[in-house]
Amino acid sequence: MYPAELVKPMREDLTSIGFKELHTVEDVEKAMELPGTTLVVVNSVCGCAAANARPGARISLQNAKKPDNLVTVFAGVDKEATEKARDMMVPFPPSSPSMALFKDGELVHMLERHHIEGRPADMIAENLIGAYNEFC
């Protein structure tokens, strides 16, 4: 578990742009019941989350079409919530950071760590925007 003061600014990278934090299994279950499209970001303390994933998510939301719901779990902090979110991302293996787009509770698009690590934020945003344009 990471100290709260360490992860606070990393959480705020997403909550400041409208993401809702999910801390419990029940939070994740309720979020997946929301109608429409839901972007789930599995946040992380790693460098690729800071340099690529969170900025990519931010840039992607400048698109005309975007998800109805924005939620996040924090790997290494919200353990049970993260496990529940990852269970919903099967058949993809757990990875942090990662991003999944759901439509009416069904997984329709996935970005795993290997799609994020080493790729610029703009490229990650383009990938997400393509999914938003198709599913949102």
Side-chain angles (χ1 to χ4, degrees):
M1 190 78 106
Y2 297 105
E5 63 274 5
L6 173 73
V7 299
K8 185 177 187 278
M10 297 173 205
R11 288 182 183 274
E12 290 173 351
D13 274 351
L14 295 176
T15 59
S16 68
I17 58 171
F19 279 81
K20 180 180 188 244
E21 291 182 299
L22 307 178
H23 300 287
T24 67
V25 169
E26 294 77 23
D27 290 345
V28 175
E29 290 170 342
K30 287 178 186 174
M32 291 298 101
E33 292 172 0
L34 294 171
T37 51
T38 302
L39 178 64
V40 179
V41 174
V42 178
N43 203 349
S44 172
V45 299
C46 72
C48 64
N52 313 85
R54 293 189 301 264
R58 170 175 303 195
I59 295 165
S60 76
L61 297 176
Q62 296 171 15
N63 191 49
K65 289 185 176 184
K66 51 190 147 203
D68 300 306
N69 310 293
L70 304 170
V71 299
T72 182
V73 294
F74 207 111
V77 179
D78 304 316
K79 186 176 189 267
E80 292 82 16
T82 301
E83 286 177 12
K84 180 63 178 176
R86 286 176 171 161
D87 286 347
M88 302 187 84
M89 297 173 191
V90 169
F92 298 95
S95 66
S96 304
S98 61
M99 301 179 196
L101 184 65
F102 293 84
K103 184 168 187 171
D104 296 323
E106 179 183 338
L107 180 64
V108 294
H109 188 76
M110 184 75 191
L111 277 171
E112 299 173 82
R113 180 186 177 105
H114 70 89
H115 297 122
I116 295 168
E117 191 172 31
R119 291 187 169 77
D122 288 339
M123 184 179 284
I124 294 162
E126 286 177 28
N127 182 295
L128 290 171
I129 287 169
Y132 302 164
N133 288 340
E134 181 176 351
F135 297 108
C136 296

